[in-house]
Amino acid sequence: MHALTHTATATEPAVTRGETTKLGRAIVVTSGKGGVGKTTTTANLGTALAQRGARVALVDADIGLRNLDILLGLENRVQYHVLDVLDENASLDDALVADKHSDGLYLLAAAQSREKEEVDTEKMRALVASLRERFDYVIIDSPAGIEKGFKNAVAGAQEAIVVCTPEVSAVRDVDRVVGLLGNRFRPQLVINRVRPQLVKKGTMLSVEDVDAFLRLPLLGVIADEPQIIVTTNRGEPLALSRDGQTANAYHAIAARIAGEDVPAPRVEMPKPTLFERLFRGGRA
Amino acid sequence: MNLGAALATAGKRVILVDADIGLRNLDLVLGLEKRIVVDLVEVAEGRCQLRQALIRDKRFPALSLLPASQTRDKDAVTQEQFAAIVDQAAEAADYVLVDSPAGIEGGFRNAIAGATEAIVVTTPEVSAIRDADRVVGKLSDRALPIRLIVNRLRPEMVHTGDMLSVEDVCEVLGVELLGVIPDDEEIIDTTNRGEPLVLDDSKRLAAIFHKIVRRLEGEIVPFTRFGNGYRHGLLGRLFAGLTTG
């Protein structure tokens, strides 16, 4: 079964980790609400951690609606998926797809034509446990919602990242998800799609507003910028580069996850326009 | 929410059903969250009548909301119970709009159980389109007529080739187009405040929702062309009359 899809050198590092005794960290990325950026966060965090030299496995738990392969540009390289491994139709080595761009980063894709209800929660837990033996980080991209797919995604994780946009509906969903997670996962918050211009105008909730409501450790703040959409469509995560505020925000999240002491996350607020300077602030 | 409000403005009797049990939001974006007493699960369990659970929106006398339960699971309601509630609502309204949860699990199957038509909402991103394609397949299995709304379009990004165009999206999905909604701060602002934007005809997007309503009513309405000049700034607003007419 070996070396069907990969060369021996490509699979080997996935199998043997430097220190064999220490288990890697399994982190689930979840949100409740759909379309807030779970998959984008997963792809960029995985890329940023791998760029730091960590060995990272990304698991797409959105069976039936997979997307992580597209964001990484790996959709043509997927041969086996999570359910193949759970059903023992493929070995982990065969199913793990090496990333094109980052050494040490691997994807375990979701099945597109199957249902979430087909996944056995205990088997999923065992799969994540065996990935933890091989990788420093196992990052699980949860589907939206709080149904079976969410429960499966959470099953093997010890930590959680909750992703939220500055909208009241997304904030409420995260609040509910944090309640469902209970006390085990030490959830940390990523606030995504912040538009500083709108915060300044008062039409969007600010980071402080969201923080005051949720009271979670803040892991990062990501601005809403067109470049995210472009890189997503292209299959090249923004965190591949270190240029610009948003790419650096992802690298700061990775550093924080790795336990580094990084300055508190913030988004650069727009400078006052000429108009506002003339009229001493106006609405701002 | 905005479609429901636009239908109600056009004189239609509308019932909005929030099918996202456990993660309800429709009450919040309508600003009705403080008026919930009983919810959909209690109606399904026969513990109260449908009309007792409906919350009438004071701003739109023809619009009511059947809220989801926040503390229960999706499997608290069966597909049969869900279909029965939607059937009952359809007797009392011209339109019953069921807001489906994300995904394709039990909550999605419940949401489509009583429906006779489907509106699929996607953004012009590769990942969202792939999800929509999967959902269209599931809906086609049930022989539901499907129409498409393309949401969060950024015309300036389409112009520079950084975003798929509406034509691209329609071609991939092969579904009839019902409407195109540009990515506009008005949506964020009004949903955060719980005020449907069709309340205010000066809003740029109000006209778009009114057009969608006319298309739902069977009229043939030309689609708004979003030129490269659709912008949120002062300059954009000066030219808005030219581009969003």
Side-chain angles (χ1 to χ4, degrees):
Chain A
M1 285 285 283
H2 275 259
L4 254 178
T5 50
H6 308 127
T7 65
T9 46
T11 41
E12 201 168 3
V15 184
T16 53
R17 245 178 102 232
E19 65 277 34
T20 45
T21 46
K22 194 167 156 277
L23 286 177
R25 291 161 63 183
I27 306 172
V28 62
V29 179
T30 189
S31 69
K33 196 172 187 325
V36 296
K38 287 177 293 299
T39 306
T40 308
T41 304
T42 305
N44 280 291
L45 175 59
T47 298
L49 284 168
Q51 306 256 316
R52 298 170 57 87
R55 311 195 45 73
V56 185
L58 304 182
V59 180
D60 190 344
D62 202 350
I63 316 280
L65 292 175
R66 73 177 188 205
N67 276 320
L68 196 48
D69 55 329
I70 292 186
L71 267 68
L72 294 164
L74 295 175
E75 66 273 20
N76 296 325
R77 297 199 178 176
V78 173
Q79 187 129 359
Y80 302 104
H81 48 66
V82 175
L83 274 170
D84 286 326
V85 178
L86 294 180
D87 297 344
E88 295 176 21
N89 294 329
S91 72
L92 255 185
D93 293 321
D94 288 331
L96 285 167
V97 183
D99 186 54
K100 281 178 188 175
H101 306 287
S102 309
D103 285 340
L105 182 64
Y106 289 80
L107 167 70
L108 185 54
Q112 181 70 350
S113 54
R114 304 280 292 270
E115 303 289 340
K116 293 183 177 71
E117 284 85 351
E118 293 179 56
V119 178
D120 180 292
T121 308
E122 286 315 308
K123 280 187 179 173
M124 189 74 184
R125 197 189 304 275
L127 171 68
V128 173
S130 62
L131 284 168
R132 289 176 63 203
E133 291 171 11
R134 300 166 179 226
F135 291 94
D136 300 312
Y137 295 96
V138 181
I139 304 179
I140 305 145
D141 185 18
S142 156
I146 49 177
E147 294 184 74
K148 182 86 190 293
F150 162 75
K151 286 167 190 150
N152 286 335
V154 166
Q158 299 92 49
E159 300 170 49
I161 295 175
V162 285
V163 182
C164 180
T165 56
E167 292 163 272
V168 286
S169 50
V171 173
R172 177 150 82 169
D173 284 0
V174 160
D175 205 32
R176 175 95 181 113
V177 162
V178 168
L180 291 172
L181 287 172
N183 299 322
R184 285 190 298 135
F185 297 90
R186 286 170 295 156
Q188 301 187 79
L189 179 67
V190 171
I191 305 178
N192 201 17
R193 284 221 200 106
V194 177
R195 301 191 189 185
Q197 294 284 2
L198 299 194
V199 174
K200 193 173 121 183
K201 277 169 71 180
T203 54
M204 181 178 257
L205 301 175
S206 68
V207 170
E208 291 73 28
D209 294 334
V210 177
D211 191 42
F213 186 83
L214 291 173
R215 290 276 162 207
L216 293 172
L218 189 58
L219 195 54
V221 179
I222 307 289
D224 185 32
E225 61 165 285
Q227 206 53 31
I228 297 267
I229 298 176
V230 177
T231 54
T232 303
N233 284 343
R234 208 186 284 152
E236 293 172 4
L238 195 59
L240 282 172
S241 99
R242 283 186 173 270
D243 298 336
Q245 186 188 192
T246 306
N248 281 316
Y250 282 120
H251 287 285
I253 290 175
R256 232 168 257 126
I257 291 270
E260 265 181 48
D261 194 13
V262 191
R266 51 187 284 274
V267 164
E268 274 173 44
M269 291 304 283
K271 296 201 169 62
T273 61
L274 180 63
F275 251 8
E276 286 161 352
R277 268 181 286 158
L278 285 173
F279 296 105
R280 300 176 124 244
R283 284 215 283 158
Chain B
M1 181 263 279
N2 280 304
L3 184 55
L7 279 163
T9 313
K12 303 295 168 192
R13 295 169 302 155
V14 184
I15 294 177
L16 303 180
V17 178
D18 190 345
D20 204 349
I21 300 171
L23 289 175
R24 70 181 180 205
N25 275 323
L26 202 46
D27 55 322
L28 206 54
V29 297
L30 280 165
L32 298 176
E33 71 275 12
K34 297 213 165 61
R35 293 182 49 203
I36 298 176
V37 181
V38 283
D39 57 51
L40 188 149
V41 175
E42 286 162 286
V43 177
E45 290 171 345
R47 291 196 277 139
C48 70
Q49 297 292 315
L50 173 64
R51 58 183 166 74
Q52 294 174 303
L54 288 176
I55 304 169
R56 181 162 299 178
D57 192 322
K58 288 179 183 137
R59 300 157 300 186
F60 306 94
L63 182 70
S64 335
L65 168 70
L66 178 59
S69 168
Q70 182 70 343
T71 52
R72 300 288 294 272
D73 277 336
K74 300 265 183 322
D75 46 24
V77 181
T78 66
Q79 287 185 45
E80 291 72 26
Q81 287 172 327
F82 214 100
I85 290 175
V86 173
D87 284 348
Q88 203 191 334
E91 285 170 19
D94 300 310
Y95 286 91
V96 180
L97 300 184
V98 185
D99 186 17
S100 161
I104 49 176
E105 295 183 73
F108 164 74
R109 288 192 293 270
N110 275 345
I112 65 174
T116 53
E117 297 170 53
I119 298 174
V120 173
V121 182
T122 186
T123 60
E125 289 162 87
V126 178
S127 52
I129 294 167
R130 178 148 80 166
D131 289 358
D133 194 37
R134 182 95 171 107
V135 167
V136 166
K138 297 240 168 218
L139 294 169
S140 304
D141 292 345
R142 303 250 179 153
L144 287 181
I146 307 164
R147 279 183 284 187
L148 181 71
I149 290 182
V150 178
N151 197 15
R152 285 218 198 113
L153 186 83
R154 301 192 187 188
E156 69 279 8
M157 283 182 72
V158 176
H159 186 76
T160 55
D162 287 329
M163 182 175 265
L164 296 173
S165 70
V166 174
E167 291 75 22
D168 293 338
V169 179
C170 289
E171 197 180 307
V172 173
L173 294 175
V175 173
E176 186 194 336
L177 187 65
L178 182 63
V180 181
I181 300 164
D183 189 32
D184 195 304
E185 62 187 81
E186 280 181 356
I187 294 273
I188 299 169
D189 187 29
T190 53
T191 51
N192 279 346
R193 285 190 287 117
E195 288 175 13
L197 55 80
V198 293
L199 271 175
D200 179 355
D201 273 333
S202 73
K203 297 284 188 213
R204 296 182 286 276
L205 295 186
I208 289 174
F209 284 101
H210 291 309
K211 280 187 177 182
I212 292 176
V213 163
R214 285 165 59 199
R215 284 186 203 111
L216 274 179
E217 283 285 292
E219 248 183 85
I220 296 170
V221 186
F223 286 92
T224 304
R225 304 296 306 182
F226 300 106
N228 180 32
Y230 185 88
R231 291 260 155 56
H232 308 318
L234 180 64
L235 211 60
R237 254 174 278 164
L238 285 175
F239 291 106
L242 297 177
T243 55
T244 66

